[in-house]
Structure formats: structure tokens, C-alpha cells
Amino acid sequence: KRHNVKEALLDNLFIVDPILQPAILKVRALCIDIVELQLCQIDKSGTYSLQGFIDSQHAHIQSVTGRLGGFRDEVKTIVLKACIDLLAAKGFSDDNAPNDAIEEEGADTPTRASNSRKGQLSYTQQAVKRRVCDRLRNFIRTVDMLVAGAMQSLANESVAVLRDHLQTLEKLSKPTEHDHEEWKRIDAEPPKDESEAEEAL
């Protein structure tokens, strides 16, 4: 029974898989770094003109776009290598995979003598490979959910920063009670006649 539980955990939990666990943790770390970025950057110590603010945000967005492109490439590389490594560990190979994704310089890789076999797989091998591919499909979906969650958090955090800054500006520009009293006093004063205005001059 304990063996069956162990097998079930290994089959269903990527975090305990010796091959997929490092990939999940790396992707998670990359997602955390991405969430710390901001889609808008505001210097609170200065004052922007409208065009200056637009130019500043365009420049920042270009920088963030480059970071997101690098993030996408890193995640793709990590996931591809994890999938190939798991297939290799089960005795299968992906002949279409790039060599640099399969082997790392100085790393110990399992022999692929069995992977270079010609001919069709047996029914048992096909069933095993189908099961491995189903597991990898679920693994890729999990990574996709992590990345989508990171993108959503990045957008939410950026909007929150912009909202807080606008609320701060609104509070600073909001008239005080003293301003309201002064305006009421001015409105209550009777208008001066032209003759009085000339005498005052």
C-alpha cells in the first residue's frame, strides 16, 4: 500500500519528481522576478509634462518588453529540457529536439543506445510513452498556468502602483477647508462700484 501511494505521488506531483521538480522551481523563481517588474515607472521626486511622461513610459515599456522576451525564452528552454530529460529517463528520445537542449557540457546523460533503435515501438512501449507524454502535457499546462498567473500579477501590481500615485496627486491637489472658507468669503463680498474702484486706484 505504501508503495502504491509513493507511485501515485510520483505520477501526479511534479514537485517530487527528480527531473521535473528543478524545472518547476526554476520557472517559479523566474515568475517571481517578473512580478517584481512594473509596467509603469513614475519618478515621484519630479514633475512631468504630458509628453515627457508619455516618452518616459514608452522607454520603460521597451525595457520591460525585452525582459519579458528573455523570460519567455528561458521558460521555453527549461521546459523543453525537462521534457527531453524525462523521455530519456523512460528510454525514449525526441529526434527533433536540438542537441544543446538534450546534452549539457560536462553533464552525465543516460545512454541513448536504446533510443536509437529503429522500427516501431511495441504496444507496451507505446502505452508507456503515451503515459509519459500525457504527464508532460500536464506539466506544460502547469507551467503555462504559472506564467499566466505571473503576467496577471504583473498587470495588477502595475495598475495598483499607478492608481496609488494618482490618488496621492488627487489628495495633494484637493482644496482644503481653509480654501473653501476663503472662496465663500470672496463670494459673499458685494461687488465694488466702478467709482469706488477708480477712487481706490
Side-chain angles (χ1 to χ4, degrees), residues 13-200:
L13 294 180
F14 301 126
I15 198 65
V16 298
D17 189 286
I19 295 177
L20 301 182
Q21 180 195 65
I24 284 286
L25 294 179
K26 288 179 181 178
V27 171
R28 178 58 179 163
L30 291 174
C31 289
I32 292 175
D33 292 339
I34 285 298
V35 172
E36 293 178 354
L37 294 176
Q38 292 183 359
L39 298 178
C40 58
Q41 188 177 47
I42 302 174
D43 184 7
K44 298 181 180 180
S45 62
T47 302
Y48 291 96
S49 65
L50 178 58
Q51 189 60 45
F53 179 79
I54 293 174
D55 293 341
S56 174
Q57 299 314 307
H58 275 305
H60 181 68
I61 285 296
Q62 291 296 326
S63 174
V64 172
T65 301
R67 291 283 302 275
L68 291 177
F71 165 75
R72 179 194 59 193
D73 293 338
E74 287 187 72
V75 170
K76 182 173 65 175
T77 301
I78 291 171
V79 172
L80 177 61
K81 185 179 184 307
C83 293
I84 294 172
D85 288 346
L86 186 61
L87 284 170
K90 299 298 182 180
F92 305 102
S93 67
D94 183 358
D95 296 334
N96 297 323
N99 292 330
D100 57 351
I102 299 176
E103 297 184 9
E104 290 184 353
E105 185 177 356
D108 295 331
T109 56
T111 178
R112 284 188 292 278
S114 59
N115 295 337
S116 60
R117 295 192 300 267
K118 302 297 183 180
Q120 295 182 350
L121 300 174
S122 66
Y123 289 114
T124 302
Q125 290 173 322
Q126 290 179 20
V128 172
K129 187 172 185 179
R130 189 179 302 112
R131 184 180 178 186
V132 174
C133 290
D134 287 341
R135 179 168 171 76
L136 290 177
R137 183 180 65 247
N138 293 332
F139 168 70
I140 293 172
R141 286 178 177 174
T142 301
V143 171
D144 185 61
M145 291 177 63
L146 287 175
V147 173
M151 295 297 102
Q152 183 177 6
S153 297
L154 173 61
N156 291 339
E157 290 292 332
S158 300
V159 171
V161 169
L162 183 59
R163 180 200 61 201
D164 293 342
H165 185 69
L166 293 176
Q167 288 178 346
T168 301
L169 293 178
E170 182 182 9
K171 290 179 181 179
L172 293 176
S173 61
K174 186 177 181 180
T176 63
E177 186 66 27
H178 175 72
D179 294 331
H180 285 294
E181 293 179 356
E182 187 67 18
W183 294 340
K184 289 180 180 179
R185 186 186 64 80
I186 295 175
D187 291 339
E189 291 180 354
K192 294 182 178 181
D193 296 334
E194 293 183 0
S195 59
E196 293 180 357
E198 292 177 358
E199 293 177 358

